[in-house]
Amino acid sequence: MKNPLDSAALNTAIENVHRAGMPGLFAEVRDGDQVWRGAAGVADVATGRPVTADMRHRVGSITKTFTAAAVLQQVESGQFSLDTPIGRYLPKLVPGERGDAITVRMLINHTSGLAEYLPYAYPSLKAYPALADAGPQSLDDHRLTRFDPTELIEMGVTAPAVGAPGGTPGVYSNTNYLLLVQLLEQATGTTAERYITRNVIERAGLRDTEIPAGPYVNGPHSQLYEAWFGMIDPPRDYSVYDMSWVGPSASLISTVADLNRFYGMLLAGEIVSPSSLAQMQRTVPVVSQEGKTIDYGLGLHPMEGPGQGTFWGHGGTVWGGGALAMTRADGKRQMAVAVNMQRWNRLDSSGKPQPHPIDDALATLYRVAMYG
């Protein structure tokens, strides 16, 4: 397990992701008291402005760990329980038999069977997950759209179910987390943004992390380039975007340093109690948005290398941006990586994403960062 940080190997690995075609990326890796920060490439392809490791970044579904932690805090304080049906708390949003069958836990670990609302909110994504028939036109149409979360939830709840409540594998769905946001607001009497800010972000001492109110990223940041499987060529900047299409389930802005700090504190039992953390680390099989079956807990998922110990964290994507944050179970080794382009794989004749050199280069960076 003793693999101290190898700065030269990390510098080479991050540079190789840029060389493989990623416009820009930055990362922080920690091993005990040792810290490496690195960046490669540009934050703006038009001006050549470089990326730096302290930039603020949209981190997508990494937000789900923050939301899940907030929900578990409320479970600890007795506001609701993990295994109570959601229909008891939100009968109008999940009515009838499904409301009786779907528990709070099933929302957090994506085993509710509720469909993803995104293809219904974005007309050009209607064919999703058939990527060849899904286009990026709606991304522009909805750049500044202010979505109503209850309307998005209704789209997911009224869509055909993707599984039976509690059945596995579950299917990853943002509908689940928008419902958790509503549950939080009902239990706390304040907005989810305010509750998560006060009780998760500020509790962890994160100075560069926020749930944005408007479409802009404040402070130094990169442009975010969406390629949509080669259909947007050259990739287009979506860094200015109203995030109400995902709300407090995937809209967080953070830095790689803040992400490592947060996951380190979470795994040390400083954000939720040790018993809540144990619940977060109970996994079930879930089909991810990329169509892969992964183990998923309550807003956390594990990654492990052979004989290398388990890392816990989350990944996230938004239009044009992405991030991955992983912390070893003992909290000693940590990695957070942010990239400024998404969906770089072009589709083959059968409509499946083709391998791209960026994939291998990123996998190598993650390996060097996590295992040395």
Side-chain angles (χ1 to χ4, degrees):
M1 299 294 285
K2 281 274 177 220
N3 290 320
L5 293 187
D6 183 337
S7 294
L10 286 161
N11 287 331
T12 299
I14 199 168
E15 191 59 48
N16 284 344
V17 182
H18 170 53
R19 287 205 180 117
M22 178 61 64
L25 71 159
F26 46 100
E28 181 189 84
V29 181
R30 291 179 167 265
D31 192 293
D33 296 333
Q34 280 190 291
V35 182
W36 170 88
R37 291 189 186 99
V42 297
D44 187 327
V45 296
T47 66
R49 173 171 61 93
V51 282
T52 57
D54 60 352
M55 283 182 159
R56 303 180 88 226
H57 196 72
R58 296 195 191 278
V59 299
S61 282
I62 286 175
T63 317
K64 288 183 172 61
T65 312
F66 288 69
T67 307
V71 169
L72 281 152
Q73 289 175 356
Q74 288 295 297
V75 170
E76 288 169 24
S77 68
Q79 289 295 326
F80 45 79
S81 93
L82 284 174
D83 297 308
T84 301
I86 192 63
R88 192 169 301 173
Y89 305 120
L90 302 172
K92 287 190 176 142
L93 293 176
V94 194
E97 288 180 11
R98 287 165 99 194
D100 294 338
I102 295 168
T103 64
V104 175
R105 184 191 302 274
M106 291 171 200
L107 297 175
I108 316 178
N109 69 11
H110 298 290
T111 58
S112 69
L114 293 172
E116 172 63 63
Y117 61 80
L118 214 52
Y120 303 92
Y122 280 72
S124 69
L125 304 186
K126 198 161 191 251
Y128 182 87
L131 296 174
D133 302 320
Q137 300 82 352
S138 313
L139 274 56
D140 279 325
D141 299 341
H142 286 317
R143 223 180 244 272
L144 297 175
T145 300
R146 197 84 195 139
F147 283 104
D148 178 326
T150 57
E151 288 176 10
L152 295 174
I153 289 167
E154 190 182 0
M155 291 174 191
V157 170
T158 56
V162 292
T168 55
V171 177
Y172 192 95
S173 166
N174 282 294
T175 307
N176 294 317
Y177 273 72
L178 284 193
L179 280 162
L180 291 169
V181 165
Q182 296 292 317
L183 178 63
L184 259 183
E185 297 192 341
Q186 185 171 302
T188 62
T190 185
T191 65
E193 288 90 341
R194 202 168 290 139
Y195 181 85
I196 293 167
T197 300
R198 198 177 301 139
N199 295 279
V200 181
I201 294 170
E202 290 175 3
R203 181 182 289 197
L206 309 182
R207 294 190 180 156
D208 291 304
T209 299
E210 66 173 338
I211 300 171
Y216 298 94
V217 180
N218 298 320
H221 63 279
S222 173
Q223 313 306 105
L224 299 175
Y225 296 102
E226 181 58 54
W228 195 263
F229 308 104
M231 295 181 211
I232 307 177
D233 191 14
R236 195 173 305 140
D237 171 29
Y238 285 103
S239 55
V240 175
Y241 212 93
D242 187 301
M243 297 301 290
S244 59
W245 63 281
V246 280
S249 68
S251 61
L252 202 72
I253 292 167
S254 192
T255 62
V256 288
D258 269 7
L259 291 177
N260 279 337
R261 180 178 172 87
F262 167 71
Y263 281 105
M265 290 182 74
L266 180 72
L267 291 174
E270 293 175 40
I271 307 295
V272 299
S273 70
S275 62
S276 290
L277 180 63
Q279 294 284 348
M280 292 180 85
Q281 292 175 314
R282 276 178 57 186
T283 64
V284 291
V286 167
V287 179
S288 74
Q289 284 182 315
E290 291 74 43
K292 298 182 180 126
T293 301
I294 60 169
D295 292 323
Y296 196 90
L298 301 184
L300 275 180
H301 69 82
M303 280 173 77
E304 49 200 299
Q308 300 280 6
T310 304
F311 281 69
W312 291 91
H314 212 290
T317 65
V318 296
W319 309 131
L324 178 66
M326 284 284 159
T327 291
R328 201 166 64 204
D330 64 6
K332 298 283 191 291
R333 184 89 173 202
Q334 298 190 275
M335 163 194 90
V337 179
V339 298
N340 68 1
M341 183 171 70
Q342 274 307 309
R343 286 159 281 272
W344 50 80
N345 307 78
R346 290 177 179 265
L347 303 178
D348 63 19
S349 54
S350 68
K352 289 206 171 62
Q354 294 176 299
H356 190 288
I358 289 174
D359 302 322
D360 288 340
L362 268 177
T364 300
L365 172 61
Y366 297 155
R367 193 171 65 244
V368 173
M370 291 160 78
Y371 309 117

